[in-house]
Amino acid sequence: MTQNRIRKQVHLGAHFPGVNNTTVWTDPASKSQIEFSSFEHLARSAERGLFDFFFLAEGLRLREHQGMIHDLDVVGRPDTFSILNAVAGVTTHLGLAGTINTTFNEPYELAKQFSTLDHLSDGRAAWNLVTSSDAFTGENFRRGGYLEHSERYARANELVDAVRTLWDSWSIDRPIVDRERGIFATDQQVGQFQHSGKQFDITGRFEVPRSPQGHPVLLQAGDSDEGREFGAAKADAIFTGHGTLEAGKAFYADVKGRLAKYGRTHADLKILPAATFVLGDNAADAQEKAYHIRRQQVGPQTAIAFLEQVWGRDLSQYDADGPLPKEDPSDDVNITRGRVRHVKDPRAVADQWRAKAEAENLSIRELIIEVTARQQFVGSAAEVAAEIDTYVQGDASDGFILVPHITPAGLDEFIDTVVPELQDRGSFRTEYSGTTLRSHLGLRHPYEQAEGVRAS
């Protein structure tokens, strides 16, 4: 007789929605993307809902479409560290995750900034690692330039190693302070570091003592083979976009299967896809709301702009409610600069989209709504809770990073209705059991991982 499997706990992150095709910034309920009150509202709501962390994305240059600022990107985004440090002051348990680019930043400054955040928040900091090979974005930085796909991961790998070297330059114990003898630290090697590699050659003494988590939690987003390997080797959690149960299970099994070669266990890495949600009194009511929201998110101009990213040409003469263009895409896919969605083989993408549009009788706008959709949970609170739980218990994910479509109150209904349903199922905490983000996520201390020792 086999023993029943212990019920997995659902992990949840709260994504502050930037202006993009997820956010409905035109809705009267949508508020500022810049005022601190918006960040505070979402963070306080997430902590009330016992979420693991607050997640802040980052953009390093406003996108341009046909030489004009893209209307879904015009508000920009204030500095990530400034926001997270401020949010730390109005929360007590909620993790604080910030997206910081590995291509345009240096090890010393990143080590100091994240270690400082971890200290100020009493162990709640997280770094979402992203790379950029976009020369257009690089023009905003002194070093600038373009990195091939493999080179950007080589830099990211070494950057993380260098940052960890700095964090590890202070001993596990806190500095010994002897006021009577006037001694701050008995170890005169404290803070000394040296890292020499192809990307960085640095030596010195790190200023910041070891932070509460040892290392802030590392999140990573990337679906290529290099990205998956990087996540298995370095990350504590992976932010992914796999939207179906089958795709989620395949990704989960693949990445978790890579952990053993790095001396890590399945519990050392969490898989957290992005997801949206629409709640209603019943399934039909929720579907009707979802239909309306998706058409707010992808209006006619947005649909044409997304199509132009693949076709690489001006398609403004086409009706968004009409059929796809008959002509093939141009070789120039840089009509949108700053975030190009399809750069590898636009003709192959166009063929796939045409086949889908023909098979399902979709207009341009209807097609773009379909192909740009994230994982979406639609239904009553009980139905959404059940579906989320199915993904987690079925090893398609360890939880989700929820992306509301309204800023900043878009999570409130989920917290008030879905969270209690998850708690009733025994799949979600009823109180925080620890104070650090590592404890929320059930992650071992980085030195326990390095030694291959299970936490007690």
Side-chain angles (χ1 to χ4, degrees):
M1 183 174 179
T2 59
Q3 193 173 26
N4 290 334
R5 178 181 176 181
I6 297 174
R7 193 164 198 81
K8 288 174 64 180
Q9 293 297 291
V10 174
H11 295 287
L12 294 175
H15 189 295
F16 186 90
V19 173
N20 48 45
N21 76 305
T22 300
T23 311
V24 183
W25 64 267
T26 55
D27 192 296
S30 185
K31 306 300 181 185
S32 174
Q33 298 276 331
I34 296 176
E35 293 176 8
F36 181 65
S37 59
S38 291
F39 299 101
E40 181 180 14
H41 182 108
L42 183 66
R44 286 186 182 273
S45 295
E47 188 163 76
R48 176 172 62 84
L50 304 175
F51 276 45
D52 293 89
F53 58 91
F54 171 92
F55 183 90
L56 191 62
E58 180 187 61
L60 296 179
R61 180 163 181 168
L62 291 175
R63 285 175 291 174
E64 295 179 10
H65 186 74
Q66 297 202 52
M68 304 288 287
I69 294 175
H70 197 292
D71 69 346
L72 295 181
D73 221 19
V74 294
V75 301
R77 175 60 58 77
D79 176 68
T80 297
F81 284 109
S82 298
I83 295 168
L84 293 181
N85 282 309
V87 170
V90 297
T91 54
T92 57
H93 286 78
L94 187 69
L96 307 167
T99 300
I100 298 294
N101 195 283
T102 61
T103 306
F104 304 115
N105 289 287
E106 299 299 315
Y108 191 92
E109 62 186 0
L110 289 181
K112 186 173 183 179
Q113 288 167 320
F114 275 109
S115 187
T116 299
L117 176 61
D118 208 42
H119 275 290
L120 293 180
S121 64
D122 293 324
R124 296 186 280 137
W127 174 14
N128 181 44
L129 303 144
V130 296
T131 65
S132 175
S133 58
D134 181 5
F136 174 71
T137 301
E139 291 172 0
N140 274 358
F141 297 85
R142 177 178 60 83
R143 195 170 56 81
Y146 177 85
L147 289 177
E148 294 288 348
H149 192 274
S150 59
E151 292 180 11
R152 62 179 182 169
Y153 276 110
R155 190 180 199 279
N157 264 294
E158 190 175 331
L159 178 68
V160 172
D161 289 341
V163 168
R164 284 175 166 170
T165 296
L166 292 165
W167 287 336
D168 291 343
S169 65
W170 286 74
S171 63
I172 295 177
D173 298 326
R174 289 187 177 274
I176 298 174
V177 178
D178 188 329
R179 297 183 188 278
E180 291 184 1
R181 293 191 297 161
I183 297 175
F184 178 76
T186 56
D187 181 4
Q188 292 306 307
Q189 305 301 312
V190 68
Q192 288 189 354
F193 67 85
Q194 181 174 1
H195 174 91
S196 296
K198 293 182 179 180
Q199 303 288 333
F200 309 103
D201 188 3
I202 55 176
T203 184
R205 193 186 289 267
F206 190 49
E207 298 173 273
V208 186
R210 184 173 304 283
S211 68
Q213 295 187 105
H215 297 170
V217 170
L218 298 184
L219 290 84
Q220 182 261 348
D223 189 36
S224 66
D225 189 69
E226 295 97 327
R228 295 182 186 208
E229 200 68 24
F230 178 72
K234 307 290 187 184
D236 297 304
I238 293 183
F239 179 36
T240 178
H242 292 86
T244 67
L245 189 64
E246 294 74 19
K249 286 183 176 182
F251 181 86
Y252 191 99
D254 177 54
V255 176
K256 297 255 185 173
R258 300 175 188 233
L259 292 169
K261 72 177 77 171
Y262 301 106
R264 308 180 70 196
T265 71
H266 279 209
D268 292 329
L269 179 69
K270 306 303 178 186
I271 308 298
L272 304 171
T276 61
F277 60 91
V278 180
L279 300 170
D281 294 335
N282 50 54
D285 178 44
Q287 288 291 348
E288 184 177 344
K289 288 181 180 179
Y291 179 88
H292 175 66
I293 290 168
R294 285 300 286 145
R295 275 146 188 78
Q296 286 182 293
Q297 291 168 328
V298 184
Q301 289 178 307
T302 298
I304 294 297
F306 270 101
L307 199 70
E308 288 173 337
Q309 290 184 24
V310 174
W311 260 255
R313 63 175 84 235
D314 183 354
L315 300 175
S316 58
Q317 73 274 22
Y318 282 86
D319 181 2
D321 293 318
L324 270 66
K326 293 183 179 179
E327 65 262 43
D328 287 329
S330 164
D331 291 331
D332 180 14
V333 294
N334 290 321
I335 196 167
T336 297
R337 306 184 73 194
R339 184 182 297 173
V340 179
R341 299 180 66 88
H342 303 286
V343 296
K344 292 182 179 179
D345 190 347
R347 284 182 171 80
V349 174
D351 289 342
Q352 292 170 6
W353 286 10
R354 281 172 173 151
K356 182 176 180 66
E358 183 177 353
E360 301 177 30
N361 193 28
L362 301 176
S363 67
I364 291 173
R365 186 182 180 190
E366 290 169 335
L367 174 73
I368 298 302
I369 286 173
E370 289 285 328
V371 299
T372 61
R374 294 178 182 267
Q375 163 65 51
Q376 189 170 28
F377 297 111
V378 180
S380 67
E383 290 168 334
V384 168
E387 190 172 5
I388 288 174
D389 205 25
T390 295
Y391 274 74
V392 173
Q393 305 308 327
D395 287 344
S397 78
D398 292 305
F400 291 91
I401 297 177
L402 297 179
V403 188
H405 71 279
I406 295 293
T407 303
L411 271 183
D412 291 356
E413 185 181 8
F414 184 97
I415 290 164
D416 292 335
T417 62
V418 180
V419 166
E421 293 284 348
L422 288 170
Q423 291 170 332
D424 287 344
R425 300 175 71 89
S427 300
F428 194 71
R429 63 172 65 93
T430 56
E431 62 181 358
Y432 288 112
S433 59
T435 58
T436 70
L437 179 53
R438 284 191 177 276
S439 66
H440 301 342
L441 292 171
L443 296 170
R444 294 185 291 165
H445 191 282
Y447 301 104
E448 291 174 339
Q449 290 194 41
E451 296 166 5
V453 177
R454 294 299 298 169
S456 59

